[in-house]
Structures are given as C-alpha cells and as structure tokens.
C-alpha cells in the first residue's frame, strides 16, 4: 500500500506549492491507501549473532571484504526500503514525491537525531562527507585576516574546501603537523600542536576524527578542551569553531558529536554505517549554525517563502535551511532511516566493541609479522577500525593487487602521496577472516 500525506505539519511549504506543479492529492485513492507503514524496516532474524548480521548482506561469498569503509554493501533492510520507494516513484513519481517528501525527510532526521543524540532541527541532509565539508568550510563567515587551523594529514576535500573559502574571504590557512610516525602518535603531541597553532585570529579548527591516511584517531575531547579554553574571553563572532570530518568514526565509535565537543560534524553514511550510497549528514550546534551561510539554496518551504516575501533571512530550524536543495536520489535518502534504525537494533556499543576487537587482532598480527610495518597506533585511544600498514619490499598498490588476485582479499590503498595498504575490519568480518587475511599477507 502507498502512503499519502496531504500537508506538512512542520511549517514547510510542500514541494507542489514550492514548484507549482499541480493540485494537492486529496484522499487516498490515487496512491492506493493511507496510513500504511510498509516503508518501516522489515523484521530481521537473529541480530543477536554476527552470523545473522552478515546474512543481511548480499556480498560475494568467495571474497574477504576488508574495504567496506570505502563503499559499503546495503543490508537487506536498506535494499528493501530503497526498492519500496523506487517502485512508488516509478509508478507515480510526482504524486508520491508531493505526498511523502516532507514526512520521509523528517523521519530520516529523527532517526539521525536518535543516533547522534541531537535535535532533528540541527541536522542537515547531504549526499556525502565531501558535500558536508564543502557546506561547512565554504559557508563559514570569514573575514580578511581571520585564520583557519587545519592539519597536514587531512583529506583532499577538507584542504580544497578551505582553500576556496580562503580565496573568497581573504582568510589564511595554517597547516599543522600532528605526528611524524603515525604508529607512535601521542595524545600530548597532537593536542599541543593544535594548541600552539591557535592565535587571536583563529576562527576555526578543521580536523578529521580518524585519518583515512594512517588510521590515527584524534583525541577530540582533548582538542575540544583546548578550543574551549581559547574561547573563554572571546566575543561570539571571534570564537573558534571545532569542525570535524567524522566519517571514519561515524558508525564505529559509540559516542556523539556533542559529547566529543564538536561544533560542526560532517559524515557520509555509506561507509561504516552501511547506509544507502549517496547519503550523508551535517550536524551543528546552534551557535555554530549561526556562523554559516547556505552554499546551495535550500528547498525547504520556509526558505522559498522568505524569497517570495522579499525577506533576506528565512526563519526556521538550521538543519533544513542548510540542507542543499535540488532533486536528489530520493529513494536512497529516504531509506537512510532504515540503516540508522538497524544500527540501533544491533547495538552501537556492541558494534564498537566488535570492530575494536577485530582491528586489535589485525594490528597485533601485523606487528608480529616480518617485513610488515604497522602504521596505525596499537593504542585504541588513538585508533579505531582503520588499519594501515606497508610491506617493506612491495609497493602498496602491488600488495593490494596480489592479495586480490592470489587470495581473493579486497583491500584499498590510501589516496595520499604516501601510500599504505588499508584494511577495515567491520561487523561483516569474523576473527577467522582476520586470521586468513594475516596468512595471506605473510604469504607475500
């Protein structure tokens, strides 16, 4: 049965009002019924066992999958939710969109708010971590003379977004090195390096929670404490914002951006969360949202209504108003709630402990293997699920290619100037698979 929703109750104009595409859908005959909840995740069997969780995925059974952090397979609940919405959109796209968009996007925000321990109003929906980072950094209200502190270890998307913001605003970027050898990274050096980089002109600290280049996990709570100390005597406009690319901790670590001390936090959902491909979130504190301008016009009805009324600043919750407008892959975005709900039902703490256990097993095995140099810290306070390493006489790309061709292992290469082999044990894997991976590496 198809669902209808004749009106929005969140203050938004419906998309039909927004675009003027047709009359309201009155009644339920056109869409085949109302009040049905067929897009709720279907019951699943045996989420209490990891074998039962693995059975949710249609993965190639002959391969060892250790690169799901790059692009994840969809579990059954997500596949079914996508197919449900896709079928409705294919059958009657305009009316299904008009009748359901506001309600389904609100459902996603509510599921994300539960997961992030936040308010739905403080969550913008994006298509990826990269989109979230661009919204963060290119939207910052910076002035000539302002400074942004970031690190040498951050990813392309952070650096390029900051460079664009600097060109537009006249702000400067300060690059900080947090460690030389990632395997021996220390909390003290990481925190002190950032503390020394802060000046009265600093307006933003732009960092990544778990470095995709090395697997190093930053002590965000300690960094947040340094930022809070710097902000004590500053007026609101001059306060430093802690802005975080959180994608390789999101879906692994059992905590929230607010608990970590973040001001703005971006993450894609198609990696460790195993969410729909092409989905992401941007969360912010109220004070941080006020420091951002929309990069892409929102399709939220309040923004459109302000434009119609000649008002420059729409009034409403920041998450929807900072969500980029335009037409998206709606069936994927609306299925995100299924992925968030599934993680909650499996148990976030349980997922975190499983991931840490498998990563620890892999790191300890690599550290004890001749010709292998582990690059990710053994210390779990400074690492998460990503594990990076190198073989002394074999280039990373050659190692990954041989492990795939000779042992049917799927890994990846870090996309940086210095290349390492990168593995990510996840809820898909078993201790036995980790041991098989180690055996394959030793055979090289």
């Amino acid at each position: 049965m198809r669902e209808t929703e004749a009106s929005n109750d969140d203050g938004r104009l419906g998309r039909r009002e927004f675009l003027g595409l047709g009359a309201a859908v009155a009644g339920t005959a056109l869409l085949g019924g109302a009040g049905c909840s067929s897009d709720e995740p279907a019951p699943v069997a045996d989420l209490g066992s990891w074998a039962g969780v693995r059975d949710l995925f249609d993965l190639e059974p002959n391969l060892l999958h250790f690169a799901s952090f790059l692009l994840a397979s969809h579990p059954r609940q997500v596949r079914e939710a996508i197919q449900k919405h896709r079928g409705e959109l294919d059958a009657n796209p305009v009316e299904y969109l008009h009748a359901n968009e506001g309600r389904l996007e609100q459902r996603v925000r509510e599921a994300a708010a539960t997961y992030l321990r936040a308010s739905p109003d403080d969550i913008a929906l994006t298509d990826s971590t990269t989109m979230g980072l661009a919204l963060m950094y290119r939207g910052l209200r910076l002035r000539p003379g302002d400074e942004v502190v970031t690190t040498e270890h951050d990813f392309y998307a952070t650096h390029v977004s900051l460079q664009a913001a600097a060109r537009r605003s006249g702000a400067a970027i300060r690059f900080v090195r947090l460690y030389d050898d990632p395997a021996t990274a220390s909390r003290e050096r990481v925190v002190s390096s950032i503390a020394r980089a802060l000046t009265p002109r600093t307006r933003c600290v732009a960092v990544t929670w778990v470095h995709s280049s090395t697997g190093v996990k930053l002590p965000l709570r300690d960094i947040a404490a340094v930022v809070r100390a710097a902000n004590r005597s500053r007026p609101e406009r001059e306060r430093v914002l802690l802005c975080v690319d959180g994608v390789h901790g999101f879906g692994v670590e059992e905590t929230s951006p607010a608990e970590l001390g973040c001001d703005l936090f971006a993450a894609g959902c198609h990696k460790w969360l195993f969410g729909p491909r092409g989905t992401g979130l941007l969360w912010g504190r109220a004070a941080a949202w006020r420091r951002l301008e929309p990069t892409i016009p929102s399709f939220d009805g309040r923004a459109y209504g302000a434009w119609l009324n000649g008002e420059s600043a729409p009034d409403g919750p920041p998450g929807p108003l900072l969500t980029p407008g335009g037409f998206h892959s709606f069936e994927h975005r609306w299925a995100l709630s299924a992925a968030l709900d599934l993680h909650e039902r499996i148990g976030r703490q349980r997922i975190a402990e499983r991931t840490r256990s498998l990563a620890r097993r892999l790191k300890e095995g690599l550290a004890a293997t001749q010709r292998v140099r582990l690059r990710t810290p053994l210390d779990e306070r400074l690492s998460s699920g990503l594990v990076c390493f190198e073989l002394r006489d074999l280039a990373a790309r050659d190692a990954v290619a041989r492990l795939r061709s000779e042992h049917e292992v799927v890994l990846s290469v870090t996309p940086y100037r210095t290349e390492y082999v990168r593995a990510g044990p996840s809820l898909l894997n078993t201790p036995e698979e980790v041991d098989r991976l180690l055996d394959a590496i030793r055979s090289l």
Side-chain angles (χ1 to χ4, degrees), residues 60-388:
E60 169 56 54
N62 295 325
L63 298 177
L64 292 181
H65 299 272
F66 283 95
S68 296
F69 59 84
L70 190 61
L71 187 62
S73 174
H74 292 158
R76 188 176 75 220
Q77 293 85 345
V78 173
R79 296 195 306 271
E80 290 175 351
I82 291 171
Q83 188 53 48
K84 189 269 181 190
H85 296 306
R86 179 175 294 152
E88 299 283 9
L89 287 166
D90 285 340
N92 191 353
V94 172
E95 290 179 341
Y96 188 71
L97 178 68
H98 287 167
N100 293 283
E101 182 186 18
R103 177 182 60 81
L104 292 173
E105 293 211 357
Q106 182 62 18
R107 178 181 293 176
V108 172
R109 281 196 175 87
E110 289 171 354
T114 297
Y115 193 88
L116 295 174
R117 302 175 193 136
S119 165
D121 289 346
D122 290 331
I123 296 169
L125 304 181
T126 70
D127 296 349
S128 63
T129 312
T130 298
M131 179 183 281
L133 295 174
L135 295 174
M136 258 198 315
Y137 297 132
R138 302 193 71 166
L140 277 176
R141 293 187 175 96
L142 297 172
R143 299 174 183 171
D146 288 348
E147 290 181 350
V148 175
V149 171
T150 190
T151 80
E152 296 180 8
H153 319 281
D154 275 87
F155 185 54
Y156 161 85
T158 291
H159 286 173
V160 170
S161 295
L162 288 174
Q163 289 163 358
R167 287 193 299 269
R168 174 179 55 81
S169 66
I173 305 173
R174 184 188 295 264
F175 293 90
V176 178
R177 189 167 186 80
L178 303 180
Y179 48 80
D180 297 313
D181 179 358
T184 59
S186 70
R187 185 199 68 81
E188 291 75 14
R189 178 174 172 184
V190 167
V191 175
S192 63
S193 297
I194 290 176
R196 287 195 302 269
L198 300 182
T199 75
R201 295 181 178 275
T202 306
R203 301 292 175 260
C204 170
V205 172
V207 295
T208 293
W209 190 4
V210 179
H211 291 168
S212 58
S213 55
T214 61
V216 170
K217 180 176 71 176
L218 296 189
L220 286 181
R221 288 183 176 88
D222 295 326
I223 295 170
V226 167
V227 170
R228 282 196 303 274
N231 284 334
R232 283 194 187 112
S233 59
R234 297 192 185 204
E236 186 64 36
R237 193 260 152 207
E238 296 179 4
R239 291 171 67 86
V240 182
L241 297 179
L242 179 56
C243 301
V244 176
D245 172 346
V247 68
H248 287 298
F250 184 68
V252 181
E253 301 290 332
E254 209 294 298
T255 187
S256 71
E259 292 165 353
L260 291 168
C262 306
D263 291 297
L264 291 163
F265 180 96
C269 299
H270 42 236
K271 296 181 183 289
W272 298 92
L273 187 74
F274 296 90
R277 291 180 280 273
T279 58
L281 301 171
L282 175 60
W283 169 90
R285 296 183 189 274
W289 282 124
R290 291 193 291 269
R291 300 269 294 276
L292 293 189
E293 294 180 356
T295 300
I296 301 172
S298 172
F299 269 20
D300 184 88
R302 287 158 290 216
Y304 186 68
W307 176 75
L308 285 177
N309 295 326
E311 300 167 358
S312 58
D315 184 26
L321 292 175
L322 270 292
T323 294
F327 280 55
H328 304 274
S329 51
F330 295 112
E331 60 268 46
H332 280 229
R333 173 169 289 186
W334 298 342
L336 178 54
S337 56
L340 291 159
D341 292 343
L342 177 61
H343 254 237
E344 292 285 0
R345 283 156 49 206
I346 294 172
R348 293 180 58 186
Q349 185 63 40
R350 184 167 163 244
I351 291 170
E353 290 171 355
R354 175 70 166 185
T355 307
R356 279 196 296 269
S357 173
L358 294 174
R360 184 188 316 120
R361 190 182 190 97
L362 177 58
K363 288 187 293 185
E364 290 174 350
L366 290 169
T369 300
Q370 291 184 349
R371 295 182 56 234
V372 171
R373 186 177 184 186
L374 178 65
R375 305 301 297 190
T376 301
L378 281 166
D379 187 346
E380 292 178 4
R381 295 171 298 178
L382 292 169
S383 62
S384 187
L386 280 180
V387 178
C388 298

Side-chain angles (χ1 to χ4, degrees), residues 54 58-68 403-411 428-430 433 436:
R54 171 62 180 256
D58 281 347
L59 288 161
E60 169 56 54
N62 295 325
L63 298 177
L64 292 181
H65 299 272
F66 283 95
S68 296
L403 287 165
R404 176 63 180 87
S405 63
E406 298 173 19
H407 299 279
E408 297 186 312
V409 177
V410 181
L411 299 170
L428 295 175
N429 300 115
T430 66
E433 287 182 335
R436 288 171 57 193

